[in-house]
Amino acid sequence: MKRYFLITALAMLTFFAQAQFAEDALRFSQVYWQGTARSMATGSAFGGLGADFLNASTNPGGMGVYRSYAFSVTPEIFVRSTSSVYNGTPTDANRSMFDLSNLGYVMTKKIGRGGRGWKYYQISLGMNRLNNFNGSRLMQGMNDDNSRIDVYIEETWDMLDNYVGFDEIYDYDPFYLGPAWDTYLLDTLTFEGDFYITSPVPAGGILQTQSIETKGSTNEWLASFSANFDDIIYVGFTLGLPYIRYFRQSVYTETDPNDVDPGFNRWSVEENLRTNGWGVNAKLGILIRPVDFIRVGLAYHTPTYYWNMRDYWNTVTYADVYTVSTGEWFAGSYQSPDGEYRYKMTTPMRAIGSLSFVISDFGFITGEYEYVNYGSSKFKSSGNVLDSENDIINNSFIATHNFRLGTEWRIGKISLRGGYALYPSPYADNLNDGARQNITAGIGVQFNSLKLDFAYVHSTSDEDYYMYDYANYNYDPPITVQTNAVENTIRNQHFAVSLRYFFD
């Protein structure tokens, strides 16, 4: 029983080495504030203004500016396009989704008879979207140097070095090595007394294709309490309950399009991953209006603690190859068992400072600074098996200084808006790019108590992606297998519309 538990633990680690890597901590820690169309159109730089439901997630002190009941709902169309270049071959993919960016309700109560002191308090309930994971990638190109099977071969040698034989390969790794062995992508050969691990897949000169489809989001459900002191100081507290939904389907394929190798046609591995989990955080905020035309905001967000993260995954491996050991063609597939893993995650604290200039009833100019250290994200699991992942997180990611700017100008019942946001690269030592820029615009129309807002957000970022990677530094020279980087340019477009209704 003890030996079986050890083998199962090794299988878990094999999976996490390929799927539950440190990039997950970054993905679930990054926040690109959405909320209402009004806030999105002004670069999401609303922490120093108030009276917008996004404030409940950024600076809850701004919720104290509300003087009436309010309701807001913001549906949007989200489009993500990805242009990829792998070994000189360009490809494009896109995905569009209809979703909900915001849903909010604000209850406002007047305090006292209008003298100095506390004037209003507000209780707010609702949801703001923090991140959108929907997207599609298609990467394709010839590789003359290696194959992903080379990684499998090296990992099989590692298995044997751990005194695990081929009769236990399905327990050691039921998701990759076991299926590769069952479909003859991995085989053995003895020649002149020497033992070899071999494969019918050629080590280079093959067409490699990987498509990745992702879905999901991080939505923060929240309850906020705020108050107004003498129209000068506004304070607020938010209890946030973010919920992560993430789905990823990757299909990696190697083919021989030029029919160079007579013993190989095609092989592929499909990987399906689903992640979900609830978290909790607290936000404190204050907004100060020292004079009529200046507002200064400060907010602190505690780390978000996700207490029940769960991963569910499986793989399907397919091969159409001429087998070495049997001397026959094999065409078939192997579906892995379903894997499940439970763990906890903590994402970084945030500090936000805001400064806004309000020009009477004509408009405003606002700016916002945000500090977040992505290297402080942590995983936690039973037995502390993710400690190595935490070391990678600490060494791979850094603190960033995010900036957001926005403006609004009113012409009668029409409001024209624009904004810009910069999220610098979170990677240490130039490991990757990952910086993101948002350019925003929008228009609002007021119909007495009803306000209709439109927003357009265009964001761009560049990221490198490696289809596979293996390194063993216990040898001299080290054994490494890696593809060249796939250069990805990602473009996001948000088309959002908000209905905001104010009433007594």
Side-chain angles (χ1 to χ4, degrees):
M1 179 64 69
K2 183 177 180 180
R3 178 175 176 80
Y4 179 80
F5 175 80
L6 174 62
I7 293 173
T8 303
L10 289 171
M12 284 291 186
L13 289 174
T14 301
F15 166 74
F16 275 98
Q18 301 182 53
Q20 184 59 46
F21 42 82
E23 289 288 338
D24 289 347
L26 176 63
R27 177 186 303 111
F28 299 139
S29 297
Q30 288 180 310
V31 172
Y32 302 106
W33 310 103
Q34 291 187 220
T36 68
R38 186 189 186 197
S39 61
M40 291 171 66
T42 53
S44 298
F46 237 83
L49 290 165
D52 187 276
F53 201 83
L54 179 64
N55 290 122
S57 289
T58 56
N59 182 354
M63 300 299 287
V65 180
Y66 276 101
R67 288 175 170 264
S68 63
Y69 281 67
F71 171 79
S72 65
V73 59
T74 307
E76 70 160 359
I77 296 175
F78 174 78
V79 181
R80 174 169 290 170
S81 303
T82 306
S83 299
S84 305
V85 179
Y86 177 53
N87 291 339
T89 301
T91 51
D92 294 285
N94 63 78
R95 182 181 180 87
S96 59
M97 293 288 294
F98 177 83
D99 56 56
L100 194 65
S101 178
N102 153 261
L103 180 66
Y105 177 64
V106 182
M107 297 174 285
T108 301
K109 294 292 185 180
K110 191 173 183 179
I111 306 173
R113 299 179 179 273
R116 293 183 60 85
W118 295 102
K119 292 180 176 293
Y120 295 90
Y121 73 87
Q122 301 82 15
I123 298 175
S124 307
L125 303 170
M127 180 275 292
N128 287 317
R129 176 157 290 196
L130 306 185
N131 205 345
N132 198 321
F133 303 131
N134 295 288
S136 178
R137 295 187 186 189
L138 176 63
M139 301 164 282
Q140 186 177 76
M142 295 295 296
N143 187 339
D144 296 326
D145 299 323
N146 54 55
S147 161
R148 182 169 174 172
I149 292 296
D150 294 331
V151 174
Y152 286 13
I153 291 174
E154 296 301 333
E155 290 176 343
T156 304
W157 282 116
D158 292 341
M159 178 191 73
L160 297 176
D161 290 342
N162 286 315
Y163 304 102
V164 179
F166 282 97
D167 58 330
E168 298 172 310
I169 192 171
Y170 296 98
D171 293 326
Y172 180 84
D173 183 356
F175 304 102
Y176 299 97
L177 299 188
W181 176 254
D182 190 86
T183 55
Y184 295 96
L185 294 170
L186 291 174
D187 215 335
T188 59
L189 180 66
T190 301
F191 181 71
E192 295 183 352
D194 292 326
F195 175 80
Y196 298 91
I197 300 174
T198 186
S199 173
V201 181
I206 51 179
L207 178 65
Q208 297 176 324
T209 304
Q210 185 170 11
S211 64
I212 300 176
E213 298 285 338
T214 56
K215 297 187 296 182
S217 61
T218 300
N219 291 340
E220 182 173 62
W221 296 89
L222 57 89
S224 183
F225 178 83
S226 53
N228 170 347
F229 182 81
D230 208 26
D231 291 329
I232 297 176
I233 299 175
Y234 310 87
V235 295
F237 167 82
T238 293
L239 177 67
L241 296 172
Y243 179 62
I244 291 173
R245 295 170 58 255
Y246 179 71
F247 306 88
R248 181 181 187 269
Q249 181 185 65
S250 166
V251 180
Y252 174 88
T253 306
E254 293 185 347
T255 58
D256 183 10
N258 300 319
D259 201 21
V260 174
D261 193 312
F264 171 67
N265 284 335
R266 172 179 177 270
W267 85 275
S268 66
V269 56
E270 175 184 314
E271 303 162 286
N272 298 290
L273 171 66
R274 174 167 62 93
T275 300
N276 59 265
W278 279 101
V280 62
N281 60 49
K283 302 178 175 71
L284 296 172
I286 184 170
L287 183 62
I288 302 174
R289 190 175 70 167
V291 294
D292 285 346
F293 65 93
I294 295 179
R295 296 180 186 179
V296 180
L298 293 173
Y300 171 77
H301 300 187
T302 68
T304 299
Y305 174 66
Y306 290 91
W307 68 86
N308 69 336
M309 295 292 292
R310 298 184 181 185
D311 284 353
Y312 306 90
W313 70 94
N314 61 39
T315 63
V316 180
T317 301
Y318 173 83
D320 184 4
V321 296
Y322 182 81
T323 65
V324 177
S325 57
T326 66
E328 298 178 351
W329 275 95
F330 172 85
S333 63
Y334 182 96
Q335 180 167 334
S336 77
D338 293 331
E340 178 181 351
Y341 195 74
R342 302 185 182 189
Y343 56 99
K344 300 176 177 63
M345 179 178 67
T346 303
T347 61
M349 57 77 68
R350 295 173 184 271
I352 300 176
S354 310
L355 178 63
S356 302
F357 299 93
V358 180
I359 297 89
S360 186
D361 294 328
F362 299 105
F364 60 77
I365 299 173
T366 182
E368 199 160 271
Y369 162 79
E370 178 183 45
Y371 171 86
V372 55
N373 182 7
Y374 294 107
S376 64
S377 299
K378 299 290 183 184
F379 288 128
K380 185 177 181 180
S381 63
S382 58
N384 297 320
V385 297
L386 298 179
D387 284 350
S388 60
E389 295 296 316
N390 291 331
D391 291 338
I392 295 173
I393 292 170
N394 185 60
N395 294 326
S396 300
F397 305 124
I398 59 174
T400 64
H401 308 276
N402 306 327
F403 297 92
R404 295 182 284 270
L405 299 171
T407 188
E408 175 183 281
W409 297 96
R410 304 182 187 96
I411 306 173
K413 295 180 181 285
I414 305 296
S415 297
L416 303 178
R417 301 165 183 142
Y420 173 80
L422 173 63
Y423 300 87
S425 172
Y427 293 93
D429 302 323
N430 297 317
L431 290 175
N432 208 329
D433 190 345
R436 176 168 171 168
Q437 298 185 73
N438 291 357
I439 298 175
T440 67
I443 186 171
V445 184
Q446 181 173 345
F447 304 94
N448 296 322
S449 297
L450 178 66
K451 297 184 180 181
L452 190 62
D453 303 306
F454 301 90
Y456 172 72
V457 180
H458 183 272
S459 71
T460 57
S461 60
D462 296 319
E463 293 181 355
D464 290 342
Y465 176 82
Y466 295 87
M467 292 186 180
Y468 51 84
D469 184 14
Y470 172 88
N472 188 332
Y473 296 100
N474 294 324
Y475 296 89
D476 189 15
I479 299 175
T480 60
V481 181
Q482 187 183 62
T483 64
N484 292 325
V486 182
E487 300 173 354
N488 291 306
T489 298
I490 304 166
R491 299 177 179 86
N492 298 328
Q493 298 183 85
H494 300 258
F495 303 88
V497 56
S498 279
L499 179 69
R500 296 185 294 140
Y501 182 65
F502 297 84
F503 56 98
D504 294 329

